[in-house]
């Protein structure tokens, strides 16, 4: 059956979902439920989100976190971040606090010029084209007057229009290269509207307009952020060594593209998170940043470091074309909240905040890499994701987080710990609680059949009594257990492990010993007597140790641990626990 559909966009949201479930999910009801559970309960708010793009069927949530303690140019900020990677917000927050006591972040906007181009083909005489351009230049400004009027009132507009010859790269290819100032608007629609008006004005028979479009490469829309302090103020055991390794790590990223890509990706972890939180275009920011990293002909680090005259300096220069008015920033309630959180910044101020977030993220990554390694902190943060994947309870999360405080986190280690916590709890038998023993033993008959092994009910009771006699010093088995064997076997008594079905001590015969007493009642009475004797013996001889035929020398505490395991093992043998 063909899965091609016509008129899909005209279907209602419900109809789109029904078609998707029927065509690609065999009409599974849980698919529809999953999609609908992410709808906002506020119908008008959901409609707002539906209208952002085409063919909307649901929302896709991303975590929205905040990183406090940023001090930028002497002002305190909390920075909103939308990101799925678990260590980003924590790392930014940690670095923000670190530098808040070392002078904070210093930032400045170097320039805010943006670029748009009209691309066209012209096969005629270049001098004639230049003459035509000079004649038309004033008309090009005039053609955009109605578009630029409001922008000019805010201090923006078209800064310059240039004719650029690119025929050495592509035959007959020229540009109108236009620079803009868009103030607090990102300006994409404004720029594109101006370019299209210019193209219409400039076009003539021998000029073929190919396209008119803004550029996301904005090397003149540039911001700088920096931190610095005396080397000894960096802290740690050896700040001089740390500063040296940190500088080396940055310089490696300045010359090695393979490292630079990952290095810059870490920077964008911080920047993209703030771009998303403010409703800006993270794809445009990414493209422009990576193009800028290649501006010298080789892909390089966007950050730089210098250790000179006892001063550590670390900075970033990055192009960021942002907006704080218009577009999604004006529509999305969370984007508006983000801007309010940061004090309703201008586009220039937002550039500085985002550059700071990127620098902080890079500092965190490089500090981890050059000290204890990136995985230590990353996997600690990733721990919560693993726990959530396995539906860990609050109690399990607390226990496992504590367990991994001083251990290396890995997915397999976490899963192993979760499974160990979820193992059925052993109902250990308190052999010193005779009331509990009596209650359980009422279910046992002399000839009761075991779930495993060969003993009957009475033989099992007398077997427990026999081991108690050994621990009481009443029976000397004459078996020697070497220190080596004891050291290997005895630690088992300290664990939660059970004596496994089928285990048989070497001293025991293949067949069960015949019952010593005439009834199971007598056997139980003797068992209780041996328990009392065990307590009395060690009360009178608290420092004594008695040899166990398998585990070796055991004192009172270890004999108790053995009897708990031994009683539990045999009570399970007859289904009493």
């Amino acid at each position: 059956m063909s899965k091609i559909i016509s008129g899909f966009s005209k279907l209602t949201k419900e109809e789109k979902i029904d078609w998707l479930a029927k065509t690609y999910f065999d009409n599974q009801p849980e698919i529809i439920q999953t999609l609908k559970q992410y709808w906002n309960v506020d119908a008008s708010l959901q409609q707002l989100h539906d209208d952002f793009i085409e063919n909307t069927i649901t929302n896709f949530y991303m975590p929205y976190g905040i990183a406090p303690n940023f001090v930028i140019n002497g002002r305190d900020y909390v920075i909103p971040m939308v990101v799925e990677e678990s260590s980003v917000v924590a790392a930014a927050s940690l670095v923000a606090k670190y530098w808040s006591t070392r002078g904070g972040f210093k930032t400045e906007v170097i320039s805010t010029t943006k670029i748009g181009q009209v691309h066209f083909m012209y096969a005629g005489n270049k001098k004639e084209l230049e003459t035509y351009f000079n004649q038309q230049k004033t008309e090009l400004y005039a053609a955009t007057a109605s578009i630029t009027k409001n922008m000019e009132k805010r201090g923006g507009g078209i800064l310059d229009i240039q004719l650029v010859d690119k025929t050495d790269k592509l035959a007959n290819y020229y540009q109108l290269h236009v620079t803009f100032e868009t103030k607090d608007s990102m300006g994409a629609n404004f720029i594109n509207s101006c370019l299209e008006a210019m193209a219409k004005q400039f076009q003539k028979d021998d000029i073929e307009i190919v396209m008119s479009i803004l550029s996301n490469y904005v090397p003149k829309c540039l911001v700088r952020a920096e931190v610095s302090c005396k080397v000894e103020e960096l802290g740690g055991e050896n700040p001089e060594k740390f500063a040296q390794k940190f500088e080396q790590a940055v310089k490696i990223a300045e010359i090695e593209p393979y490292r630079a890509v990952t290095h810059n990706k870490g920077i964008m972890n911080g920047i993209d998170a703030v771009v998303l939180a403010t409703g800006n275009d993270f794809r445009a920011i990414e493209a422009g940043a990576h193009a800028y990293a290649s501006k010298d002909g080789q892909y390089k680090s966007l950050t730089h470091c210098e250790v000179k005259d006892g001063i550590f300096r670390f900075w970033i220069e990055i192009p960021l074309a942002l907006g704080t008015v218009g577009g999604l920033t004006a529509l999305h309630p969370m984007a508006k909240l983000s801007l309010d959180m940061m004090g309703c910044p201008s586009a220039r101020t937002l550039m500085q905040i985002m550059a700071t977030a990127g620098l902080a993220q890079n500092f965190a990554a490089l500090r981890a890499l050059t000290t204890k390694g990136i995985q230590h902190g990353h996997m600690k943060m990733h721990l919560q994701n693993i726990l959530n994947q396995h539906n860990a309870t609050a109690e399990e999360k607390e226990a496992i987080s504590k367990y991994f405080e001083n251990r290396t986190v890995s997915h397999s280690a976490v899963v192993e710990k979760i499974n160990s916590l979820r193992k059925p709890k052993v109902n250990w038998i308190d052999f010193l609680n005779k009331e509990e023993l009596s209650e359980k033993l009422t279910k046992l008959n002399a000839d009761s059949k075991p779930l495993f092994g060969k003993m009957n009910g009475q033989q099992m009771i007398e077997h427990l009594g026999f081991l108690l006699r050994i621990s009481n010093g009443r029976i000397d088995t004459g078996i020697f257990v070497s220190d080596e064997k004891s050291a290997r076997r005895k630690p088992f008594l300290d664990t939660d492990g059970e004596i496994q079905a089928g285990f048989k001590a070497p001293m025991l015969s293949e067949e069960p010993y015949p019952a010593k007493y005439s009834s199971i009642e007598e056997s139980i009475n003797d068992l209780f007597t041996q328990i009392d004797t065990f307590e009395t013996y060690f009360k009178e001889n608290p420092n004594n140790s008695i040899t166990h035929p398998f585990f070796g020398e055991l004192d009172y505490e270890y004999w108790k641990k053995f009897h708990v395991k031994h009683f539990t093992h045999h009570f399970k043998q007859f289904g009493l626990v």
Side-chain angles (χ1 to χ4, degrees), residues 99 110 222-228 243 246-255 260 263-264 267 289 292-296 298-307 311-319 358-359 362-363 366:
W99 282 107
I110 298 171
L222 202 61
V223 61
R224 178 188 177 98
E226 177 179 324
V227 288
S228 64
F246 192 102
E247 182 184 26
Q248 288 169 341
V250 175
K251 290 191 180 305
I252 287 170
E254 288 176 340
I255 64 163
H263 178 97
N264 288 344
I267 293 170
Y292 189 76
S294 305
K295 69 183 188 302
D296 297 326
Q298 177 183 304
Y299 191 90
K300 297 180 179 180
S301 165
L302 289 164
T303 56
H304 310 280
C305 182
E306 179 184 73
V307 180
I311 302 296
F312 172 90
R313 291 176 60 242
F314 180 51
W315 70 95
I316 185 171
E317 283 188 5
I318 187 168
L359 188 67
N362 195 219
F363 182 86
L366 292 175

Side-chain angles (χ1 to χ4, degrees), residues 113-114 141 144 147-160 178-183 190-191 194 198:
T113 302
K114 295 167 188 172
Y141 281 104
T144 62
I147 304 170
T148 61
K149 181 172 59 176
N150 289 332
M151 184 64 76
E152 287 171 352
K153 287 179 182 177
R154 301 200 298 269
I158 300 171
L159 301 179
D160 190 22
V178 189
T179 53
F180 296 85
E181 170 59 63
T182 61
K183 304 307 286 184
F190 168 76
I191 292 172
C194 288
M198 289 181 188

Side-chain angles (χ1 to χ4, degrees), residues 447-457 570 572-575:
D447 57 355
S448 292
K449 301 297 182 185
L451 300 175
F452 56 85
K454 298 180 179 180
M455 292 187 288
N456 62 30
H570 286 293
K572 280 192 169 185
Q573 183 184 18
F574 286 87

